[in-house]
Amino acid sequence: SILIVSTMYAVSRIVAPLACVARGVAVRPVVARCFASKPTLLTDDERKTLLPDLNEWSMVEGGRDAICKQYLFDDFKKAFAFMTRVAEYADEVDHHPEWFNVYNRVEVTLSTHDCGGLSQNDVDLARVMDNAAEFVAGK
């Protein structure tokens, strides 16, 4: 299972995960940040460098500043295991996905309500979700 490693920071009121660990190997460190301050929208330059690196994530149609992705698993049990792993991380960093699940399919939309669009929080969560999906799928 994926294990969330945390460290307490004396900056305001933050508990930030430093890395997700799968099978004893660290995968994609998550940068600690202070969620006590309001997140900011990604700049155009940040969007150009960060969003193309996300695996199969796309902008939501209709003008909303959000990214989306559909995950397909072998069965409901694996889809639910994925959602459980992501929920543990999301709750710890207080940044929660919008998602919809039917049997083996999980549809996800990420956007930061506090700033009205995409922030670094969404990029971090997308990466954690991709890592969790690979782990659950056994890749």
Side-chain angles (χ1 to χ4, degrees):
S1 66
I2 290 181
L3 173 66
I4 305 296
V5 180
S6 298
T7 301
M8 290 294 289
Y9 283 85
V11 181
S12 207
R13 56 175 180 83
I14 178 101
V15 177
L18 296 178
C20 285
V21 180
R23 297 184 190 153
V25 178
V27 288
R28 294 229 168 122
V30 177
V31 178
R33 73 181 91 270
C34 180
F35 287 97
S37 61
K38 185 176 178 181
T40 58
L41 289 172
L42 292 176
T43 66
D44 289 339
D45 287 340
E46 289 171 326
R47 290 166 189 266
K48 288 176 188 171
T49 58
L50 296 172
L51 298 182
D53 289 340
L54 298 177
N55 185 23
E56 298 180 13
W57 287 84
S58 59
M59 294 299 297
V60 170
E61 294 179 12
R64 182 175 176 199
D65 191 23
I67 54 176
C68 62
K69 183 172 182 174
Q70 178 175 278
Y71 292 95
L72 293 174
F73 298 93
D74 292 338
D75 53 34
F76 175 74
K77 189 174 180 179
K78 286 187 178 183
F80 195 81
F82 162 76
M83 293 177 73
T84 300
R85 283 170 171 74
V86 171
E88 290 172 4
Y89 170 85
D91 209 40
E92 180 151 346
V93 298
D94 196 28
H95 187 61
H96 304 89
E98 297 174 26
W99 51 14
F100 177 76
N101 166 241
V102 174
Y103 185 59
N104 67 335
R105 187 179 79 232
V106 180
E107 297 172 9
V108 180
T109 302
L110 299 178
S111 183
T112 303
H113 302 286
D114 289 343
C115 66
L118 287 174
S119 75
Q120 183 66 48
N121 297 349
D122 301 305
V123 173
D124 292 345
L125 185 52
R127 289 177 178 152
V128 167
M129 294 180 93
D130 286 346
N131 288 331
E134 286 181 19
F135 178 78
V136 168
K139 294 181 181 175

